[in-house]
Amino acid sequence: MALTPTSDLSLEPPPESSVFDLDGGRACLDFANTLGSSPPTSEHLNSYADLVAFAAQSKLITPQDAEWLRAQAEAEPATAAGVLTRAKRLRKALRALFSRLAAGKRLPEADLAVLNTDLAASLSHARVVPANGGGSYGWGWSGRSLDTPLWPISRSAADLLTSDEDRALVRECGADDCAWLFMDNTRNRSRQWCSMQACGNREKARRHYQRVRARRDARDTRTASTVEEAREATAAAVVDAPRSSKQARRKRVAPSAGANATAD
């Protein structure tokens, strides 16, 4: 959502000021959110370098990995372009899967198949390795290739989908013009927006404007109705009012004793 997109498949690393918004709470959701909702800046993976930048900022790869990947992509541009295509196909599947999950709907089998295909390729590189030098262990990866940034993304998606507790926390942004995904880790599970600073503030301002406008329209309607009622009452009063003495006409009185007479 926030990476300044490039216009071609340039392999130059993006400027340091170009960063992704990582509000999803899981690597797979952040990756799905690299496709925004509002063109023309909705696409944020415009080059293989963008994919590397996302993985580096998300700490899915080391800075040394990122440097190696950029150099290798320079040497194998066609392969790098193919990995970018694969990344976008995976991203599309993740967006569909987690959007449906957030809506409480059945997951599309075709998109699940895309994830499983990518997962099979990724997990062949997975290893259990010592962590933190304190006798603990964690997931690691063996080897390097241009698709290295995708390995932890597909595993993140699998971990999220197979966790009953975490799966229930997936949400889609409630703003009308945003479809970003995120984990709702609030105490009362009431988070509505992907980011309070972005969609949250904008949506609250929009709703406030709508309430103010609705009250103003209702007031104007009442005022117009009151004015119309007053006009109708005035018109009725004019029709029903008795004629004043100045409006009265001279009336004839019956003549007496054969004489003609008039009276005011």
Side-chain angles (χ1 to χ4, degrees):
M1 153 164 124
L3 181 68
T4 302
T6 55
S7 58
D8 53 27
L9 288 176
S10 169
L11 300 174
E12 291 298 320
E16 292 183 2
S17 60
S18 298
V19 295
F20 291 85
D21 257 318
L22 304 178
D23 290 322
R26 292 290 188 279
C28 56
L29 301 184
D30 288 331
F31 184 66
N33 292 342
T34 61
L35 181 63
S37 305
S38 302
T41 58
S42 60
E43 177 58 78
H44 303 294
L45 295 182
N46 291 284
S47 70
Y48 180 81
D50 291 343
L51 177 62
V52 174
F54 170 81
Q57 185 185 332
S58 304
K59 301 188 184 308
L60 303 179
I61 59 175
T62 67
Q64 293 74 23
D65 288 333
E67 183 178 357
W68 183 90
L69 289 168
R70 293 188 187 105
Q72 192 66 20
E74 192 79 39
E76 301 180 60
T79 304
V83 171
L84 182 62
T85 299
R86 173 183 160 189
K88 291 182 177 181
R89 182 169 58 248
L90 174 62
R91 181 184 62 182
K92 181 180 178 181
L94 296 182
R95 170 65 69 85
L97 288 170
F98 290 112
S99 179
R100 299 270 296 186
L101 180 64
K105 298 179 180 179
R106 184 180 180 86
L107 302 188
E109 292 185 5
D111 295 302
L112 198 57
V114 171
L115 170 60
N116 281 325
T117 298
D118 205 277
L119 187 64
S122 299
L123 290 184
S124 64
H125 301 276
R127 300 290 185 274
V128 176
V129 297
N132 302 323
S136 60
Y137 295 84
W139 283 106
W141 304 97
S142 174
R144 274 178 180 167
S145 69
L146 286 172
D147 64 344
T148 295
L150 301 182
W151 301 346
I153 293 172
S154 56
R155 185 169 67 83
S156 169
D159 288 343
L160 180 51
L161 286 174
T162 55
S163 169
D164 292 342
E165 181 180 356
D166 290 345
R167 193 172 60 246
L169 303 181
V170 176
R171 303 284 187 273
E172 189 170 274
C173 185
D176 292 338
D177 58 349
C178 181
W180 272 22
L181 300 158
F182 61 90
M183 298 291 290
D184 181 7
N185 293 312
T186 59
R187 181 175 299 179
N188 59 356
R189 304 294 183 256
S190 61
R191 182 176 169 186
Q192 300 180 54
W193 301 293
C194 61
S195 169
M196 190 62 209
Q197 291 71 30
C199 288
N201 287 336
R202 187 178 72 250
E203 193 68 10
K204 288 177 69 175
R206 185 185 65 82
R207 293 179 183 179
H208 173 72
Y209 169 77
Q210 289 179 338
R211 288 193 298 268
V212 170
R213 181 172 181 177
R215 287 196 297 267
R216 184 183 63 203
D217 291 346
R219 184 179 65 248
D220 292 345
T221 299
R222 288 194 300 270
T223 300
S225 177
T226 301
V227 170
E228 184 62 26
E229 289 174 359
R231 288 175 179 171
E232 291 176 356
T234 301
V238 170
V239 171
D240 297 337
R243 290 176 296 190
S244 65
S245 58
K246 292 183 178 180
Q247 294 173 316
R249 297 295 181 185
R250 292 168 60 159
K251 60 181 180 180
R252 292 185 176 274
V253 296
S256 59
N260 295 326
T262 60
D264 289 333

